[in-house]
Amino acid sequence: MTGHSVINQIVSTPPLGGRISFSRLDGTETMELPELYERAERLARRLRARGIGPGDRIGILAANGPEWVLLDLAALLLKAETAGLEPGKFAPSAELMARYGIKLLFTDRPTDAPGTVPIGEVRGLAEEPAGPEESTALPAVEWAPRDVTTIKFTSGSTGTPKGLGATVGSIDSSLAAVQEIFEHKPGDDLFVFLPLSLLQQRYWIYSALVHGHDVTVSSYEAAFAALRRAKPTVVMGVPAFYETARRQIEARVRRSGGAETARDAGRHLFGDRIRYLWTGSAPADAAMLRFFTDAGLPIFEGYGLNETCIVTKNHPGAHKTGSVGQVLRGKEVLVDEDGVVSVRSDHPVNYRYAYAEPGASERMFGPDGTVRTGDLGYLDEDGFLFIRGRADDVIVLDNGKKIVVRPIEEHMRTSPAIAECVLFCPTQTDLVAVVSPASVPADLEAVAAQLARTNAASEADEKISRVVVAETPFSIDNGLLTSQYKPKRQQILAAHHDLIHDRKEGIHAA
């Protein structure tokens, strides 16, 4: 692995081409990748002067931007670890630094905690020309497959985030498998907008440094404005992002009075260079996937966890509707007698959590790093993986009937009026849905019509007796969605407790 290591190629060989762009609402800053690398080397020398070396850990608690990328690359050059800390989930403090063994914490949040550095200083450290005392080259480093480059944190719905050390072998293996099926190359521009604290978002920067393609970094808030400027060839997004894009495309078609097709409106939104769209992190609605593919924007769903990295992926050479793709090279999917999916990797992300409550590692990881995902699924005769839901989201009624909630929730979400749907069973006798409306005020008639369609397609025990329509759509800001736009079931239950337990049937506005 070391000889073909993406990470070792990055730290040993400056890129020959490619660009990185940082796109905000107020404009775009573009940098050639060789220039980025040169700045990262300067920054690494200055971090070394501040005592950062192999095995030390720096924290990055800031919004997406050039400083984030420079710090991450400088840490790789020093063989130091990063801790990617998501704004809003963490706050800068001495306690945070002590808890995670952070030597320096770079942040854009106000703080006077010792050891914290305003992230605005990074640009100066990276751009100021080297003085005579800094003329010596950085010591050569080599990363071994089991070395940890970064601590990544779960975006789970409850409790303190668990911290997991990501190994070089897992990063190398995943990027090699993705490159094998998608062949990113010069001329491609990969568009990313989720927080760079999520390691997989940084994968595409590593890919650019090695394969010479471009990469554009934005934020969720600026993503649609940035898309029109960037005209990327690949977009990496979660299903909620594409649902929003679909509504924008449909609205533009309506406003045109038929003069524009969905294909025309899609090209206006995404640009005219799209090769494919990538989605994962949460279940994608089949109707949404069909919409984009029919609009000339092929979209491919995949599957993975923080603990496994990318496991399966649909792609142009192998795609099956309803599946999350075939198993990637270096991964093995195992399904037990209860239908619970486990993943074995040639190069595991790790063998245990670095930070978690007692027993968490033992529940998730086998001795060889095999991960028990907690997802229900099956492999078909062609090796495509289908995910049916979460094992702990199976509702057992008082008559013993087991209800897998995900297919019912997905059927409800086929209505354009419904952005999210989460099922509960407070009395173990009937199902209650809490829906997040796609727009405000909610279209209660459309919700009622979808409820009727879903119930008509369901068995007797699977019928929804009542629907609670949230007054405010689920969002990250109100704590009802994770950073990857997955519903937080327990928080949704708590926020709508009274109406969920109300026995009146029908549609109820919260």
Side-chain angles (χ1 to χ4, degrees), residues 150-172:
T150 192
I151 302 295
K152 56 180 181 174
F153 296 90
T154 62
S155 59
S157 59
T158 59
T160 303
K162 293 187 282 289
L164 180 67
T167 59
V168 168
S170 70
I171 297 170
D172 289 340

Side-chain angles (χ1 to χ4, degrees), residues 6-30:
V6 170
I7 297 300
N8 281 322
Q9 184 172 338
I10 288 171
V11 300
S12 64
T13 310
L16 297 177
R19 297 182 303 170
I20 186 167
S21 299
F22 299 92
S23 196
R24 302 174 296 272
L25 287 171
D26 60 354
T28 301
E29 175 186 1
T30 298

Side-chain angles (χ1 to χ4, degrees), residues 170-187:
S170 70
I171 297 170
D172 289 340
S173 177
S174 296
L175 279 170
V178 168
Q179 184 64 14
E180 182 178 321
I181 59 177
F182 285 111
E183 299 180 334
H184 300 133
K185 57 188 180 296

